[in-house]
Amino acid sequence: MKPAGTISFIAAGFALIAASYGLARFAYGLFLPAITADLGLSRTEAGLISAGAFAAYCLAITVAALASNRLGARRTVLIAGLVATTGMAGIAWSDGVGQLAAAVFLAGVSTGLASPPLALAVSQSISGARQGAANTLINSGTSAGVVLSGPVAIGFVEAWREAYAVFAVMALGVTVWLGYAMPAAASVAARREERAGPNARVSGALRPVLLAAFLMGMTSTAVWTFGGALLHGLAGWGEEAIARVWIVIGIAGIVGAAAGPLIRRFGLNPVHRVSLVALALSLLLILFSNASGAVPLIAAALFGAAYIMLTGVILVWGVEMVPSSPAFGLGAGFLAIAAGQVAGAPLFGALYDWKGGEVALLVFSGLACTAMCVSARPARLP
């Protein structure tokens, strides 16, 4: 693939991840206070709706690798873009809890469909030495979407429906771009059949990845789903101030693009553990968000950098464990992240309602510390 084509493909993949993860999936927490006020959601209901999006991700990513091989990575990616567009348009026009839940679920499907075919296309069109950097750069598109959602939220303030309509138009534009930018090798099924599957050897190799990813996913719901509500309740911040926090999360998350080079230099385990320390610390700092206006911004920066770095770690870890099947390795790790988020969102919401945000934050920072006990294995499956 020519350098110009490679750059266009990586940029378009980055934009799709920004639209599906940053906008379709994680902007929900940013707009949650306004959505709650309009539709009268309880924190438990908000958590369950968020869990539905993560469950949709689980459902979609389990079939995404198979769809990529059967339909081709290009077609699967285009479907992901169209689903993201439809889901966000549905959120914009929701006038009840049921419709909102269905639209958020559909938006969550797009994230599960997006990552595996992009990883497959990278493996087909980019040389092996550059694949890790390409994958982690595309993966950091989440940060760009989160950054973008902040100014839109400030511009529309409480007009969350209009904001999601803008997001839907953006996602449609990205989908059209992908139609031109995807490499020719991704237009058909994989050139080689991915033989790795959910057998005993693969399951054993991926077990540490899956456990670490599950715990990280659970922890992350404290901010992705309830970050806005926590800052509103603990510090009395309004929607505009919370939107600025989202911008900081996104900007800091761009650091996650360096996950591949950092892992090559220092190894998976050190990068994994340092990132988990930052994740746990970010939740603890939220406890002191009323002490100073700078504290929530520091917490946001730590969370954004840690989360995107950790998703990069899980991506590289999963792919390295099953190098003959990159879409499967990535999909398994990201599925475990989403499974943790499915479990974490309603659990945090229930804890929040029962014992308050402070207790919920302490419990979830402990989950991040627990994940530090999980180590990467050096063995790789051929």
Side-chain angles (χ1 to χ4, degrees):
M1 190 174 182
K2 295 180 179 180
T6 299
I7 292 171
S8 179
F9 161 54
I10 291 175
F14 178 94
L16 176 64
I17 296 300
S20 59
Y21 283 80
L23 302 181
R25 186 174 176 187
F26 292 134
Y28 171 76
L30 171 60
F31 290 97
L32 185 57
I35 294 173
T36 298
D38 279 0
L39 300 182
L41 302 179
S42 70
R43 294 189 183 103
T44 301
E45 286 174 330
L48 289 171
I49 290 174
S50 180
F54 299 134
Y57 178 92
C58 293
L59 177 65
I61 206 167
T62 55
V63 300
L66 294 175
S68 298
N69 285 328
R70 184 175 295 272
L71 301 176
R74 182 176 182 274
R75 289 180 181 174
T76 308
V77 161
L78 293 179
I79 291 171
L82 291 174
V83 170
T85 301
T86 305
M88 289 189 285
I91 293 173
W93 273 273
S94 297
D95 60 3
V97 175
Q99 289 181 338
L100 176 67
V104 170
F105 182 91
L106 186 60
V109 168
S110 71
T111 55
L113 292 175
S115 293
L118 286 172
L120 180 59
V122 166
S123 72
Q124 293 173 347
S125 58
I126 297 177
S127 63
R130 298 159 55 205
Q131 287 179 14
N135 275 322
T136 53
L137 181 57
I138 290 172
N139 179 65
S140 68
T142 300
S143 298
V146 173
V147 170
L148 181 61
S149 66
V152 172
I154 292 173
F156 288 91
V157 190
E158 296 183 0
W160 57 274
R161 297 180 189 279
E162 289 81 356
Y164 270 101
V166 170
F167 293 160
V169 172
M170 290 177 176
L172 182 60
V174 169
T175 304
V176 173
W177 179 14
L178 277 162
Y180 292 97
M182 286 291 286
S187 299
V188 295
R191 289 192 297 259
R192 57 181 172 78
E193 181 182 358
E194 296 190 351
R195 294 180 174 83
N199 54 50
R201 292 181 66 219
V202 171
S203 299
L206 289 176
R207 193 174 295 120
V209 190
L210 302 183
L211 178 56
F214 181 84
L215 292 171
M216 184 275 280
M218 285 191 73
T219 305
S220 71
T221 57
V223 173
W224 285 133
T225 301
F226 294 99
L230 286 164
L231 290 175
H232 182 73
L234 297 177
W237 283 27
E239 283 78 7
E240 186 171 335
I242 293 169
R244 292 195 179 96
V245 169
W246 240 247
I247 294 172
V248 172
I249 289 174
I251 292 173
I254 294 172
V255 173
L262 287 174
I263 290 168
R264 283 199 304 273
R265 181 175 178 83
F266 300 106
L268 269 168
N269 288 328
V271 176
H272 182 222
R273 288 168 182 158
V274 170
S275 300
L276 286 170
V277 169
L279 182 62
L281 183 59
S282 71
L283 300 193
L284 294 176
L285 283 175
I286 294 175
L287 291 170
F288 304 97
S289 56
N290 62 347
S292 167
V295 172
L297 298 179
I298 295 171
L302 282 172
F303 177 82
Y307 182 84
I308 302 302
M309 187 68 70
L310 285 165
T311 58
V313 167
I314 297 302
L315 187 159
V316 173
W317 194 352
V319 169
E320 286 192 352
M321 289 299 97
V322 197
S324 63
S325 183
F328 178 79
L330 178 148
F334 278 27
L335 173 61
I337 293 175
Q341 290 166 332
V342 170
L347 176 59
F348 192 96
L351 279 172
Y352 197 166
D353 279 336
W354 180 38
K355 290 292 185 180
E358 295 87 348
V359 171
L361 285 168
L362 287 170
V363 171
F364 274 59
S365 64
L367 290 175
C369 294
T370 302
M372 294 175 63
C373 300
V374 185
S375 298
R377 295 181 179 181
R380 289 161 46 113
L381 291 180

